[in-house]
Amino acid sequence: MSKKMKIALALGGIALFGTLLTACGSSGENNAAPGGSAPASGPAASVSAPPSAAAASVRKITDYIGHEAEIPVSPERVIFVGETFSDLLALDVKAVGTSLSMASETVYEDRMDGIEDIGFPINLEKVISLAPDLIIIADTDEKVYEQLGKVAPTIVFDTFAPLEERLPLLGDILGKKEQAAAWLEEYDKQEERMWKQLEAAGLQPGETASVFTYYPGERLFVMARTGLSQVLYVPEGLKPTARIQQVLDAGSGFEQISPELLPEYAGDRIFILNPASELQDAIQSTADLLQSRIWQDLPAVKAGHVYRLDIKQSGSDALSRQWLTEQLPKLMAE
């Protein structure tokens, strides 16, 4: 299991972050986000349709880090391991297996019945017993990829990709292109309604926002390309601060910062992601930060523009995004 995957899953299982490895204390690298487990950069996956898609049972695909695999045209027994698992639920795809720990405390936790737990780290024997015909993972560890690739065609999927890019590609891979298009069309309407509500409630054009969360070991992260940030940083929405824009320009999902740098990253609106319930030291670090002088002196704090969300409910997966369009207007109206 790669160090990148451990940090990513520990900080988020959903989205940004669901915390699976409470004992994982290793520091992460800057291209594996607390809200995701795949690197932030890399070419998009490509799918090549066979000459006769109706007659063929498989087709070739090159995933976003360059692996080529032959996958079923209509996969029926899918294993998906990544913090954007609910993308499958949005497409009405019932996976046969996943790492169920990643779904705990999420907005879609109650929709996981009947899906087998393959553990975390992944239990290879359990994977074999489920006889998958396609495995989709966010982990970029080549050893993990090679092991799983011996069981079934395996794809490394960029879960950091924007929803509007990620869902159509996933729909193509899973034979659900029409469902993906229809879901995104409805989501766009919901998102548009949300921003109109927020504008009516006083949100001004050009306002900036920051998203922060703590990870065990007193490590403070600012989110850029993962989770809630994907919801906020859209053309009609809130803007990243200049320092966060630098993180985005570097292609990173997040950046670890010291509390002393908060004034440089803090926007007009600040979102604090509450750590997963099992991460007591991260919870304490958050409490300590909120009592600190440097925090209380931030303009957003003085203006009362600070909002708290549970990290496992603030991801960039499809169902969390949908839930957030309803919750953000309520949260920001308080």
Side-chain angles (χ1 to χ4, degrees):
M1 181 60 56
S2 69
K3 184 188 299 180
K4 296 177 183 178
M5 184 66 166
K6 289 180 180 179
I7 255 203
L9 297 183
L11 275 174
I14 106 174
L16 271 182
F17 330 118
T19 319
L20 305 187
L21 292 183
T22 60
C24 176
S26 59
S27 61
E29 297 178 29
N30 213 29
N31 60 345
S37 43
S41 61
S46 61
V47 179
S48 301
S52 176
S57 59
V58 297
R59 58 177 174 166
K60 289 184 179 180
I61 179 172
T62 302
D63 69 24
Y64 90 108
I65 60 173
H67 301 126
E68 186 175 276
E70 286 193 344
I71 67 171
V73 171
S74 300
E76 297 179 352
R77 298 186 60 80
V78 179
I79 287 177
F80 184 103
V81 181
E83 74 284 351
T84 57
F85 181 86
S86 86
D87 290 359
L88 274 69
L89 300 177
L91 299 177
D92 293 323
V93 173
K94 184 77 169 184
V96 296
T98 189
S99 295
L100 286 179
S101 300
M102 300 183 74
S104 67
E105 302 180 26
T106 64
V107 301
Y108 54 88
E109 181 177 18
D110 61 352
R111 296 187 56 176
M112 305 301 289
D113 289 348
I115 301 173
E116 294 288 333
D117 184 15
I118 62 171
F120 185 81
I122 295 172
N123 184 317
L124 194 59
E125 290 184 1
K126 182 64 176 180
V127 170
I128 294 171
S129 73
L130 292 175
D133 58 7
L134 178 63
I135 301 172
I136 303 173
I137 58 172
D139 192 356
T140 58
D141 188 329
E142 284 297 319
K143 292 182 180 179
V144 174
Y145 175 82
E146 290 174 6
Q147 287 181 327
L148 295 175
K150 294 176 181 178
V151 179
T154 300
I155 298 170
V156 179
F157 193 73
D158 184 7
T159 54
F160 281 4
L163 179 66
E164 62 270 17
E165 298 175 11
R166 192 178 72 236
L167 201 65
L169 177 57
L170 194 60
D172 191 14
I173 291 169
L174 298 174
K176 297 281 187 175
K177 293 175 67 172
E178 292 182 1
Q179 291 90 331
W183 193 95
L184 282 172
E185 182 178 1
E186 180 57 31
Y187 174 78
D188 287 344
K189 295 175 183 176
Q190 295 171 339
E191 189 177 55
E192 183 179 0
R193 286 196 296 269
M194 177 189 74
W195 290 115
K196 287 182 177 178
Q197 286 179 287
L198 290 171
E199 182 180 351
L203 186 67
Q204 299 298 311
E207 283 196 63
T208 58
S210 308
V211 183
F212 300 107
T213 193
Y214 260 102
Y215 177 71
E218 298 185 354
R219 282 176 283 173
L220 177 63
F221 290 91
V222 58
M223 301 298 112
R225 192 176 173 240
T226 58
L228 179 61
S229 298
Q230 282 197 17
V231 181
L232 302 179
Y233 300 152
V234 294
E236 65 273 28
L238 290 153
K239 310 304 178 186
T241 64
R243 286 300 297 267
I244 295 175
Q245 185 60 55
Q246 292 176 10
V247 182
L248 288 165
D249 291 343
S252 298
F254 72 102
E255 184 169 289
Q256 183 179 343
I257 65 171
S258 67
E260 290 74 22
L261 291 178
L262 275 170
E264 299 181 25
Y265 287 85
D268 300 313
R269 311 270 178 166
I270 295 178
F271 295 82
I272 291 290
L273 303 182
N274 303 319
S277 60
E278 64 267 31
L279 300 183
Q280 290 301 310
D281 53 348
I283 291 172
Q284 184 60 54
S285 295
T286 303
D288 293 342
L289 175 69
L290 300 186
Q291 296 300 316
S292 69
R293 174 51 55 190
I294 196 166
W295 174 264
Q296 294 179 8
D297 284 343
L298 295 174
V301 176
K302 292 181 176 180
H305 292 164
V306 176
Y307 317 100
R308 299 188 68 170
L309 280 166
D310 290 344
I311 194 169
K312 288 193 175 183
Q313 296 183 338
S314 62
S316 59
D317 61 282
L319 298 193
S320 294
R321 293 274 301 250
Q322 198 170 45
W323 181 82
L324 285 166
T325 63
E326 300 174 355
Q327 295 302 312
L328 286 178
K330 299 176 184 176
L331 181 68
M332 297 176 69
E334 294 178 355

